[in-house]
C-alpha cells in the first residue's frame, strides 16, 4: 500500500510492544524508587506535598505534562489538520496565564500554607462554600475530566490492534502503584519522564513526515496551498469557534482557571521549597507549553501534507477524527519496528501523567476537606493509610470511567469545554474573594450557583446543538487521491459535519434547531470560562451589597492580594516569621496555614506596609 492513499494499516510488531511495555515499567520504576527513597519520611506532608522540597525545573515539567495529556498528543494534531494553525495562538494564552498565576495566585496560596486549594474558600467565606467547591472539583476531575483523558487510550489502541482492556487496566494499575507508594514526588518525577516520551513521539512523526514529503519546506508549502497557515482571524464575533480574540481572551481565562485554582496544578507549585522556586516553575512551564503545542501543531500540518489528497476519515479508514494521528503513525512508521510503539507510549504517557496527577490531587482534597475536619485526632500513620487507600479507590474509579470514554466525540474541545463550564464559576468565586473585601458568603454562594447554571446551560446546549460550519470554519479536504473509498455520502468540502452528526447522536435532528442554537448555544467554547467568571463576580457583588456586605473587622488580612505580591516583591522573605498581631486581629488561628501537616516546619511572612490601610478602604 502506498503511504497517504488510504486503506488498512499494519498492527503492532513485537518491538512495538517491547517499547510500550518498557515505558510502563519505567513509570512504575520511578514510583517505586521514590517510595523507597522517601520511606523514612512517611507522613501526609511528604505524600501530598513532597515535603515541600521540590525545585522549579521538575515542577515546571510536571505542570506541563499534567494537562498536556494524551488529549494533546492526539487531539491537537487533529485540530491543526482540520482547522489549521489557529490553535498555535494558544502560545500567547499560555504566557498570559503563567504570569497571572505566578504573580497573583501563587503568593497568596503559598503564604497561607494550604494543602487543598479549597481551604481558601472556608477561610474567606464559610465551610459550606468550601464543601461545594471541593465537590465540584471531585466531580469535574474524577468523573468528567478523567473520562475524557482516558478517551485517548481507546482511540490509539483501536488503530494499533492492541487489547483495549489490557491497556486500560495497565493504566490504572501503574497509576495506583506509584501514586500509592510514592506520593507527589513520584508523580512529579514520573511526569518528567513522560514529558520526554511525549516530545520524542512528536519528533518521530515530524521527522518521518519530512522524509516522506521531501523536507519540512514541502510540508509548509502544502499547508500554505491548503489554507492551513491563516492563523490570525481578528473577527470579534464571539460565536466563531476560534479567532484571535476567542483564543487570547477566552483561552487565557480558561487556562488561568486550570492553573491557578485547580488542585492538580496548585499542589505542584506549593510543593516548591521557596516562593521564588514556585514562581520560576510557572515561568519555566511556559517554555514547556510552547514546545509541546508547537510540535503538536506541526505534527498536524505534517499529517495534512501526507493526506491532503486522501482524508482517512472521509475515506472510512478511521472511525473518529482523533484517530487520525495514530493512523498516520501506523501508516508511515510501521516499517520501523519500535517507533510506532514510541508514539503510542507518548499518548499513553500523557494519559498516565494526567491520571496520576488527578489521583494525587483527589486524595489531597478528600483528606483535607472531608476526612480531617471530621476526624481531627488522626495520627500520621492513620492519615498515610487513608492516603494510600484513597489512591487505590480513585485509581480503580479511573479504570471504570475509561469504559465511558470510548463513547465520546472530539476529546480536545469536549475536555476544554468541561473545564470552562465548571472552572469558570469557581475562578469567579476566588477572584471575588481575593479582590473585593465587601463580598460576603451569601454573595459568593449565590454568584457561584448562578454562574454554574448559566455555563451549564450554554455548554450543554452547545453539545446538543453543535454550531454549524459557518461558525467552526472547517477547512476543505479531498479524497481524490484515495485508492478506494467507503461510504462517501458526505461532501468533501466539509467532511467534519459527519463527525458532528456522530457526536450529536443523542439530539433530535439538525433541521429542528431552536432559535438559541445559532446564537446562545453557538458561543465559542473558549468563552464559557470567561462567562462563568464574569457572572459569578457580578452577581456576587450585587448580592453582597444587598445583604449588607462583609464586616471588615472579621476579615483575615492575609486573604487578599496585595501590591507586594506582584512581580516577586516579597520573594526574598520566604522564611520570615508570621506576624502574630495580624493573626490575633483576624480573630482566628492559621489552622490551615502554618499548622498544616505539609507546612508544619515552615512559616511565611505576611507583613505588608499596606495592611494597616485595609480597614480604611
Amino acid at each position: 500500500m502506498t503511504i497517504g492513499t488510504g486503506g488498512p494499516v499494519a498492527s503492532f510488531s513485537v518491538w512495538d510492544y517491547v517499547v510500550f511495555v518498557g515505558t510502563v515499567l519505567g513509570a512504575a520504576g520511578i514510583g517505586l524508587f521514590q517510595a523507597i527513597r522517601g520511606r523514612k519520611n512517611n507522613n501526609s506532608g511528604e505524600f501530598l506535598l513532597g515535603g515541600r522540597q521540590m525545585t522549579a525545573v521538575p515542577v515546571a515539567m510536571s505542570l506541563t505534562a499534567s494537562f498536556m495529556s494524551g488529549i494533546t498528543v492526539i487531539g491537537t494534531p487533529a485540530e491543526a489538520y482540520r482547522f489549521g494553525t489557529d490553535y498555535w495562538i494558544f502560545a500567547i494564552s499560555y504566557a498570559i496565564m503563567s504570569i497571572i498565576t505566578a504573580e497573583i495566585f501563587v503568593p497568596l496560596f503559598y503564604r497561607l500554607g494550604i494543602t487543598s486549594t479549597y481551604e481558601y474558600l472556608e477561610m474567606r467565606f464559610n465551610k459550606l462554600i468550601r464543601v461545594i467547591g471541593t465537590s465540584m472539583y471531585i466531580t469535574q476531575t474524577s468523573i468528567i475530566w478523567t473520562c475524557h483523558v482516558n478517551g485517548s487510550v481507546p482511540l490509539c489502541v483501536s488503530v494499533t490492534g492492541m487489547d483495549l482492556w489490557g491497556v486500560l487496566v495497565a493504566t490504572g494499575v501503574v497509576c495506583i502503584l506509584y501514586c500509592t507508594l510514592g506520593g507527589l514526588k513520584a508523580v512529579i518525577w514520573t511526569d518528567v519522564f513522560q514529558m520526554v516520551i511525549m516530545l520524542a513521539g512528536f519528533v518521530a512523526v515530524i521527522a518521518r513526515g519530512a522524509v516522506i514529503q521531501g523536507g519540512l519546506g514541502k510540508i509548509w508549502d502544502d499547508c500554505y496551498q491548503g489554507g492551513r497557515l491563516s492563523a490570525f482571524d481578528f473577527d470579534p464575533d464571539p460565536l466563531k469557534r476560534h479567532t484571535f480574540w476567542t483564543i487570547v481572551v477566552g483561552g487565557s481565562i480558561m487556562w488561568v482557571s486550570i492553573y491557578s485554582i485547580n488542585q492538580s496544578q496548585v499542589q505542584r507549585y506549593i510543593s516548591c521549597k521557596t516562593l521564588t522556586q514556585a514562581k520560576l516553575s510557572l515561568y519555566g512551564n511556559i517554555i514547556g507549553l510552547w514546545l509541546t503545542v508547537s510540535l503538536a501543531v506541526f505534527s498536524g500540518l505534517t499529517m495534512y501534507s501526507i493526506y491532503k489528497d486522501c482524508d482517512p476519515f472521509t475515506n472510512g479508514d478511521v472511525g473518529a477524527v482523533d484517530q487520525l494521528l495514530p493512523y498516520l503513525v501506523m501508516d508511515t512508521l510501521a516499517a520501523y519496528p519500535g517507533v510506532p510503539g514510541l508514539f503510542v507510549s507518548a499518548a499513553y504517557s500523557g494519559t498516565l501523567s494526567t491520571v496520576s496527577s488527578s489521583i494525587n490531587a483527589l486524595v489531597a482534597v478528600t483528606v483535607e476537606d472531608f476526612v480531617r475536619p471530621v476526624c481531627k485526632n488522626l495520627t500520621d500513620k492513620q492519615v498515610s493509610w487513608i492516603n494510600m487507600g484513597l489512591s487505590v479507590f480513585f485509581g480503580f474509579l479511573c479504570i471504570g470511567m475509561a469504559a465511558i470514554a470510548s463513547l465520546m466525540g472530539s476529546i480536545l474541545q469536549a475536555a476544554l469545554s468541561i473545564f470552562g463550564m465548571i472552572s469558570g464559576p469557581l475562578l469567579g468565586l476566588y477572584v471575588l474573594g481575593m479582590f473585593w473585601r465587601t463580598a460576603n458568603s451569601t454573595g459568593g454562594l449565590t454568584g457561584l450557583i448562578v454562574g454554574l447554571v448559566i455555563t451549564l446551560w450554554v455548554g450543554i446546549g452547545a453539545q446538543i446543538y453543535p454550531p454549524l460550519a459557518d461558525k467552526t470554519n472547517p477547512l476543505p479536504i479531498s479524497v481524490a487521491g484515495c485508492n478506494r473509498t467507503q461510504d462517501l455520502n458526505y461532501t468533501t468540502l466539509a467532511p467534519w459535519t459527519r463527525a458532528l452528526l456522530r457526536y450529536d447522536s443523542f439530539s433530535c435532528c439538525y433541521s429542528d434547531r431552536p432559535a438559541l442554537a445559532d446564537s446562545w448555544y453557538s458561543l465559542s467554547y473558549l468563552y464559557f470560562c470567561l462567562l462563568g467568571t464574569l457572572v459569578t463576580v457580578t452577581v456576587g457583588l450585587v448580592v453582597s451589597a444587598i445583604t449588607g456586605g462583609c464586616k471588615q473587622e472579621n476579615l483575615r488580612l492575609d486573604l487578599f492580594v496585595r501590591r507586594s505580591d506582584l512581580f516577586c516583591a516579597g520573594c526574598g522573605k520566604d522564611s520570615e516569621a508570621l506576624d502574630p498581631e495580624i493573626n490575633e486581629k483576624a480573630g482566628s488561628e492559621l489552622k490551615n496555614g502554618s499548622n498544616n501537616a505539609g507546612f508544619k516546619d515552615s512559616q511565611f511572612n505576611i507583613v505588608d506596609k499596606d495592611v494597616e490601610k485595609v480597614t480604611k478602604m
Side-chain angles (χ1 to χ4, degrees):
M1 183 189 74
T2 303
I3 293 174
T5 58
V9 292
S11 298
F12 254 30
S13 68
V14 174
W15 284 108
D16 294 321
Y17 282 105
V18 170
V19 172
F20 181 78
V21 172
T23 302
V24 176
L25 294 178
I30 291 173
L32 289 173
F33 173 76
Q34 291 297 332
I36 295 171
R37 184 182 180 186
R39 65 186 183 278
K40 294 182 179 179
N41 298 315
N42 189 21
N43 56 60
S44 184
E46 180 73 20
F47 187 89
L48 299 178
L49 295 169
R52 193 175 168 269
Q53 292 298 313
M54 301 304 299
T55 55
V57 174
V59 172
M61 296 182 71
S62 180
L63 286 169
T64 302
S66 295
F67 279 92
M68 294 292 111
S69 62
I71 291 176
T72 302
V73 174
I74 65 175
T76 303
E79 170 73 25
Y81 177 86
R82 299 167 65 189
F83 299 103
T85 52
D86 289 357
Y87 200 85
W88 189 85
I89 302 177
F90 271 105
I92 301 174
S93 301
Y94 297 148
I96 295 173
M97 168 273 296
S98 295
I99 293 171
I100 291 175
T101 304
E103 301 303 335
I104 296 178
F105 289 88
V106 172
L108 177 65
F109 291 152
Y110 198 89
R111 71 166 174 264
L112 291 176
I114 60 176
T115 298
S116 166
T117 315
Y118 308 100
E119 293 176 44
Y120 176 81
L121 297 180
E122 182 176 358
M123 295 175 179
R124 179 60 180 86
F125 296 109
N126 59 34
K127 186 173 182 62
L128 174 62
I129 292 180
R130 174 181 178 177
V131 170
I132 293 174
T134 304
S135 300
M136 289 172 63
Y137 170 76
I138 291 175
T139 302
Q140 175 195 53
T141 302
S142 64
I143 298 177
I144 306 175
W145 171 246
T146 304
C147 179
H148 278 82
V149 168
N150 276 318
S152 61
V153 176
L155 288 172
C156 283
V157 169
S158 60
V159 175
T160 62
M162 297 174 67
D163 181 70
L164 172 60
W165 283 104
V167 175
L168 291 177
V169 171
T171 302
V173 170
V174 171
C175 288
I176 289 170
L177 180 63
Y178 67 75
C179 285
T180 302
L181 298 179
L184 184 65
K185 278 188 178 179
V187 172
I188 288 177
W189 284 108
T190 305
D191 283 348
V192 172
F193 168 72
Q194 291 159 350
M195 183 70 187
V196 173
I197 297 296
M198 278 193 284
L199 296 180
F202 284 137
V203 170
V205 169
I206 295 171
R208 178 56 177 159
V211 171
I212 293 173
Q213 297 301 96
L216 296 177
K218 179 61 166 59
I219 293 174
W220 194 258
D221 184 64
D222 286 343
C223 293
Y224 176 78
Q225 298 297 329
R228 260 64 184 174
L229 303 183
S230 300
F232 294 95
D233 179 1
F234 292 97
D235 188 342
D237 184 3
L239 304 185
K240 293 188 70 173
R241 180 175 179 267
H242 280 174
T243 66
F244 178 85
W245 304 113
T246 58
I247 295 175
V248 171
V249 178
S252 295
I253 299 301
M254 180 196 68
W255 282 104
V256 165
S257 75
I258 293 175
Y259 272 77
S260 63
I261 63 171
N262 187 282
Q263 177 68 24
S264 297
Q265 303 299 75
V266 174
Q267 195 169 336
R268 276 157 177 69
Y269 53 70
I270 64 174
S271 72
C272 290
K273 59 174 66 177
T274 66
L275 176 58
T276 303
Q277 291 286 323
K279 287 190 173 186
L280 287 175
S281 71
L282 278 158
Y283 287 119
N285 173 59
I286 298 177
I287 300 174
L289 291 174
W290 282 350
L291 182 60
T292 304
V293 74
S294 297
L295 289 176
V297 168
F298 204 85
S299 295
L301 298 181
T302 301
M303 182 161 55
Y304 172 75
S305 178
I306 294 174
Y307 293 128
K308 61 183 181 296
D309 295 322
C310 182
D311 172 44
F313 181 75
T314 309
N315 195 49
D317 296 318
V318 296
V321 294
D322 291 310
Q323 291 178 320
L324 287 170
L325 191 61
Y327 179 85
L328 172 70
V329 169
M330 299 310 300
D331 191 13
T332 61
L333 293 171
Y336 301 88
V339 180
L342 176 65
F343 167 77
V344 175
S345 296
Y348 186 77
S349 292
T351 299
L352 280 179
S353 66
T354 305
V355 173
S356 62
S357 301
S358 298
I359 291 173
N360 196 259
L362 288 166
V363 171
V365 298
T366 303
V367 170
E368 296 299 322
D369 297 339
F370 292 119
V371 177
R372 283 189 181 276
V374 176
C375 306
K376 298 181 180 180
N377 297 319
L378 292 173
T379 64
D380 282 345
K381 185 174 182 180
Q382 289 173 321
V383 173
S384 295
W385 280 107
I386 292 173
N387 288 334
M388 290 189 287
L390 287 172
S391 295
V392 174
F393 169 75
F394 284 119
F396 280 110
L397 180 62
C398 291
I399 297 175
M401 292 309 301
I404 303 175
S406 60
L407 303 177
M408 298 296 174
S410 177
I411 59 175
L412 184 65
Q413 178 174 328
L416 295 180
S417 297
I418 289 166
F419 265 105
M421 285 185 279
I422 298 179
S423 293
L426 272 176
L427 177 62
L429 184 62
Y430 279 85
V431 170
L432 183 69
M434 292 163 58
F435 288 95
W436 280 276
R437 297 182 175 90
T438 57
N440 59 26
S441 57
T442 303
L445 180 59
T446 305
L448 178 66
I449 293 173
V450 174
L452 186 61
V453 169
I454 293 295
T455 54
L456 288 177
W457 176 23
V458 64
I460 294 174
Q463 300 303 312
I464 298 176
Y465 300 101
L468 299 179
D470 62 327
K471 298 301 181 184
T472 57
N473 297 325
L475 296 174
I477 204 74
S478 173
V479 291
C482 295
N483 287 332
R484 63 180 183 82
T485 57
Q486 298 179 6
D487 302 325
L488 296 183
N489 297 320
Y490 307 95
T491 175
T492 58
L493 293 179
W496 310 112
T497 303
R498 179 179 159 202
L500 293 176
L501 286 169
R502 180 183 293 114
Y503 184 58
D504 189 39
S505 59
F506 52 86
S507 64
C508 297
C509 55
Y510 277 85
S511 61
D512 187 24
R513 291 170 64 87
L516 291 177
D518 298 321
S519 54
W520 178 241
Y521 295 154
S522 291
L523 181 71
S524 172
Y525 73 97
L526 293 175
Y527 280 139
F528 291 173
C529 186
L530 178 62
L531 175 65
T533 301
L534 292 176
V535 169
T536 300
V537 171
T538 303
V539 173
L541 288 174
V542 171
V543 173
S544 294
I546 294 174
T547 56
C550 185
K551 295 182 179 180
Q552 296 187 7
E553 61 268 20
N554 294 329
L555 292 178
R556 285 262 308 270
L557 302 180
D558 57 319
L559 296 175
F560 301 96
V561 174
R562 304 190 305 259
R563 286 196 296 271
S564 63
D565 290 337
L566 303 179
F567 300 104
C568 223
C571 288
K573 304 177 182 179
D574 292 335
S575 60
E576 296 181 17
L578 291 164
D579 185 344
E581 293 183 3
I582 292 181
N583 292 335
E584 182 179 354
K585 192 173 183 178
S588 63
E589 297 179 355
L590 286 179
K591 60 182 178 180
N592 291 314
S594 60
N595 292 330
N596 184 286
F599 291 78
K600 60 175 65 176
D601 296 325
S602 302
Q603 291 182 311
F604 307 87
N605 173 60
I606 58 171
V607 180
D608 194 296
K609 294 180 180 179
D610 298 327
V611 83
E612 295 177 359
K613 301 178 183 179
V614 172
T615 57
K616 299 178 183 180
M617 297 180 65

